[in-house]
Amino acid sequence: MRWVYKSVLTCIDRYELSLHPAEKEREPADMAGLLNYYFLICATIVRISSRYLEPKGVSSHFNLQCFMLYPKYMSCHWSPQDGARPNATFHLRYKMRGATEVEECKDYITQGPNSCYFSRVNLCLYLTYEIWVETTSEMSEKLVVNTEDIAKTEPPTGLTAEGFGTHLSVEWQYPPGIAASFYPLVFELWYQEQGSREWKREPNVGEQISYSLEDVTPGTTYRLQVRCKHADGKGFWSEWSAPITVQLGWHSTEPAPNAEPQ
């Protein structure tokens, strides 16, 4: 704001030069009051005009967003503003929170246009990044993110199910490359009767990798999927796993409908 201060002083100097000699002989108290009055007027003018005179892009937005597929990579994407120069070159820069060294994105190709890809080699897990995008004339606001807050994993694998009567046992495994002791997950299961549009959700599965459904219908075919998220609630849910289909059998003591008598 140094330029604003200089502009106000310029306004006052011009005011003093315009005074009639007789006016300059007024009492100091009167002159101080007049100077204060004109200082306020000039400051108001400068404040209003500064909205149009400040360099463009200081607080501009590029809709910068980042997300991490734990523990493989992080990617950031942005959208050029309307009216941006078609030949503008964008640079994504970042640094660790508290550090002074600024680095530039090393891969603008893998994730497509207007993106930056952080491979596992160039990614520091569990740390906070300051990330921004800039051109020769504009700079976005800094995006401050901890990798845990923007992370999600791949879906659980190995989903299986079997059951009889009203009981259905479901099991699954952790996503590849993730250990429960180091990165604990919670899970959510949902299932659907064949031919129905309604999905039933089991949100309280917790950290276990198996679950028993007790309200299913004997002789019915079910479709099931499972997803996961970090156990402390940070980050996002994974995508749903590939669905599986299982048909429940009947208890041996209860013949299936329309079954031939023994």
Side-chain angles (χ1 to χ4, degrees):
M1 295 298 291
R2 185 179 299 174
W3 68 276
V4 174
Y5 178 72
K6 290 182 177 179
S7 299
V8 173
L9 292 181
T10 301
C11 287
I12 295 173
D13 291 340
R14 289 177 179 175
Y15 161 73
E16 288 182 326
L17 291 173
S18 66
L19 286 176
H20 190 275
E23 292 179 310
K24 293 184 180 180
E25 296 176 359
R26 289 184 181 181
E27 292 294 327
D30 294 339
M31 290 298 297
L34 283 172
L35 287 174
N36 184 59
Y37 173 73
Y38 277 93
F39 180 89
L40 292 175
I41 293 177
C42 290
T44 301
I45 294 172
V46 170
R47 183 178 180 183
I48 294 173
S49 62
S50 67
R51 297 179 183 178
Y52 304 96
L53 296 177
E54 287 182 339
K56 293 183 179 180
V58 172
S59 60
S60 63
H61 298 274
F62 290 90
N63 192 30
L64 176 62
Q65 298 179 338
C66 298
F67 124 94
M68 182 174 73
L69 183 64
Y70 180 91
K72 296 185 174 182
Y73 67 85
M74 179 172 74
S75 63
C76 297
H77 302 261
W78 60 90
S79 302
Q81 290 183 311
D82 293 339
R85 292 182 302 165
N87 59 343
T89 300
F90 296 90
H91 299 273
L92 183 138
R93 306 191 191 279
Y94 64 93
K95 70 184 186 75
M96 303 302 172
R97 194 71 183 271
T100 56
E101 182 181 0
V102 175
E103 300 184 56
E104 183 173 358
C105 173
K106 297 173 178 59
D107 184 346
Y108 290 106
I109 304 298
T110 300
Q111 291 288 311
N114 302 321
S115 71
C116 175
Y117 177 81
F118 294 76
S119 67
R120 181 65 186 87
V121 175
N122 299 318
L123 179 61
C124 294
L125 303 176
Y126 315 114
L127 295 181
T128 299
Y129 280 82
E130 294 181 13
I131 306 172
W132 65 96
V133 174
E134 61 183 43
T135 66
T136 55
S137 59
E138 296 179 299
M139 185 179 82
S140 71
E141 293 183 346
K142 289 184 178 180
L143 181 64
V144 181
V145 292
N146 186 290
T147 55
E148 289 185 281
D149 294 329
I150 59 172
K152 72 175 183 180
T153 70
E154 292 184 331
T157 60
L159 181 61
T160 61
E162 62 178 0
F164 290 92
T166 60
H167 177 81
L168 180 61
S169 297
V170 189
E171 296 181 357
W172 56 88
Q173 299 174 5
Y174 262 62
I178 298 178
S181 59
F182 194 72
Y183 198 86
L185 301 172
V186 293
F187 300 90
E188 188 174 75
L189 176 71
W190 71 351
Y191 59 101
Q192 177 190 53
E193 290 186 18
Q194 187 176 45
S196 173
R197 295 184 178 180
E198 180 183 0
W199 285 89
K200 295 182 179 180
R201 194 182 302 264
E202 293 290 335
N204 300 316
V205 176
E207 297 183 31
Q208 57 190 333
I209 56 174
S210 64
Y211 195 76
S212 294
L213 297 172
E214 305 292 346
D215 59 347
V216 291
T217 305
T220 303
T221 298
Y222 285 90
R223 176 176 174 156
L224 303 98
Q225 291 178 281
V226 65
R227 64 178 182 173
C228 57
K229 183 180 181 180
H230 196 285
D232 66 5
K234 294 181 180 179
F236 306 101
W237 285 101
S238 72
E239 301 298 324
W240 290 100
S241 65
I244 64 167
T245 301
V246 59
Q247 183 173 14
L248 270 68
W250 290 83
H251 285 299
S252 59
T253 56
E254 298 180 9
N258 303 320
E260 293 293 332
Q262 300 294 325

